[in-house]
Amino acid sequence: MAAGELKRSYDDAYARTSIRLQNNALLVGEWVKGVFQTSDYLLRDVAANFPPSELRLGHTSAQQQRRWVHWLDAKLQTLPYAQGLSLFDPACIRRYTHDARVQSYFDASEWDYCRLLRERPTAESVVTPMVMSNLGRYAVTQARRIPGPGAMGSGFVVIGLDTTMFSTLLDRIDTGSDGVITLIDSQLQVVARKPALAGVVGKSLDSPMIRAFIDGNVDVSVGRRVSQLDGQPQLGVLRKVEGLPLIVYQGEHDQVWLRDWYARIWKIGLAALLLMIVAALLLRGYWVQLALALRLEQDIVQRQRLEDELKASEKKFRTFVEQAHDIIYTLDLQGCFQYVSPNWRDRLGTDPASVVGQHYTSLVHPDDWPVWLSSLPGKTSGIEYRVRHADGSWRWHTSSLTPLFDEQQRPSGILGVTRDISLRKAHELALRQARDAAQAANRELQLVNAQLSNLATTDTLTGAWNRRHFEQELQRELIQSQRYAEPLSLLMFDIDHFKAVNDRYGHPVGDTVLVGLTRLVQRNLRAADTLARWGGEEFVIMMPHCDADEAVGLAEKLRALLALQTFETVGQVTASFGVTQCRPEDSPQSWLKRADLALYQAKAEGRNAVRLLA
């Protein structure tokens, strides 16, 4: 009977302590997730507002590069525990960093964050195990992919987080006189611990049990073990932090959680000895009465102890919630508030007591109800929404929602941790408006530049290339032809008796003839040929990869087509053509002069003709 009672009381103590440790580990894990959600908001902001084209080498001026460095430094200052903020191209080469004193170029292709992004092409962001930074402090890096084509997108942005923030976080949690909280990464390195021990941060644990837990499929493990850090036997809980390479260990020394059980051993032993003595002296009835009295006393003591433990646990939780920067609340399965932390009044100006019992739809903006409705029944999730302030305005909040379960693992409610992100949303809107304005101005500038380029290279009347642009192209094609021994021909022509057309019908009619002739010639040229207005009614055509015979054939074709073409008011006109092929020793001037001589011969011999001067 005594052994059974000891077994039952041991199991009760084990169950109570493990549930309490699991709940504490869950809260610590949610805080840790909140840290990375906050840093991920910064990474999202940078990835959304940084133009991927700026990551290409040589694409950006030095002045623009300095502006991006200052921009990254301003972003970094919004997170007090951040060590560094950098931008990498898809080849894992760092192009920008927040510190202007540090060289931007750095090859990170073998670093964990680059390797993880390559191995997980569908992951938007990754978090690496703890490393020693170049500042001599331990840090955890977080990387977010910049959307774009290819396995590595358009690049990625990386932030380094100082691990001392986790020690600060753990110091705010009441673990009692002999409680232990340890944060461990996936490489079994100690990231933070409370109580702190000299030299323990960065220490690697040699624990096959923890390694098996990391590699296994379970998220929570409860059991007794001897700590490698202080050598004390403990009841501990290992809990994975969802989506992160981190594990929370919440433990309590045996001498604490079994204190009452050890005392019970003494009490039961003494009671058993007393019962044996009384049994030898008294009748069976006295034995039964004594056993009942002992059991009643034990029940009273146990009830009182459970009540004391419950009050202490509630006091710890209340202190934890009241000191938190974020609002903590719970909902029932229908979406009604069951509890809100006292700082609700500071953040939203409403008495927390007046919120309890209200449905979330009475406080959340109607446009954001679908976000809540889709998140309530599922697993742990993060949502952004607007909530009404007491002054009637709407504030942007982000919440992490986690399902709560009873002892039978049935859903019993939802735990929410929320933070005001109104300032970030305002900054995002201002940045988006500024970016849209800059893009509109850039498009207008490109249009103006295109118009100026067109005016500088084309003839305003006919739309053909002007003489200046043609001379540049002629010089380039002449060099290419002479270097590679490729044939290159030149055709020069003008309209016969065009002065008579202008004198008889006027210059506007003459301009119409010039435009019509240009359209006719352009329709019958190859894509590689170049047509330009040389001056007045005179035109030139340069034909790469075309010998003299082919050029004469094209000239005859154009002459015949023009002779058949009827122009409004004027009727039919003719043209004379001079053709010549480029020689190895030709200069632009000698080549053009020979074409002009060929044209002169065609006009001297009766016009409406083609003459070749080889």
Side-chain angles (χ1 to χ4, degrees), residues 146-157:
I146 299 175
M152 295 295 286
S154 297
F156 55 94
V157 57

Side-chain angles (χ1 to χ4, degrees), residues 25 28-29 181-183 237-241 246-250:
V28 174
I181 303 179
T182 307
L183 191 62
V237 172
L238 288 169
R239 185 179 190 93
K240 296 177 182 175
V241 181
L246 296 171
I247 302 161
V248 177
Y249 173 78
Q250 176 84 39

Side-chain angles (χ1 to χ4, degrees), residues 7 93 117 186 189 224 229 247 280 366 379 421 432 594 601:
K7 177 66 168 59
I93 302 300
L117 288 173
S186 59
Q189 300 179 102
R224 295 184 65 191
L229 300 180
I247 302 161
K379 297 182 178 180
I421 58 170
R432 187 163 55 251
R594 197 161 60 253
Q601 289 181 6

Side-chain angles (χ1 to χ4, degrees), residues 188 206-216 221-226 228 236 238 249:
L188 301 188
D206 183 16
S207 175
M209 182 272 296
I210 298 180
R211 171 51 61 191
F213 170 72
I214 292 174
D215 296 336
S221 174
V222 182
R224 295 184 65 191
R225 53 185 60 88
V226 176
Q228 291 187 18
L238 288 169
Y249 173 78

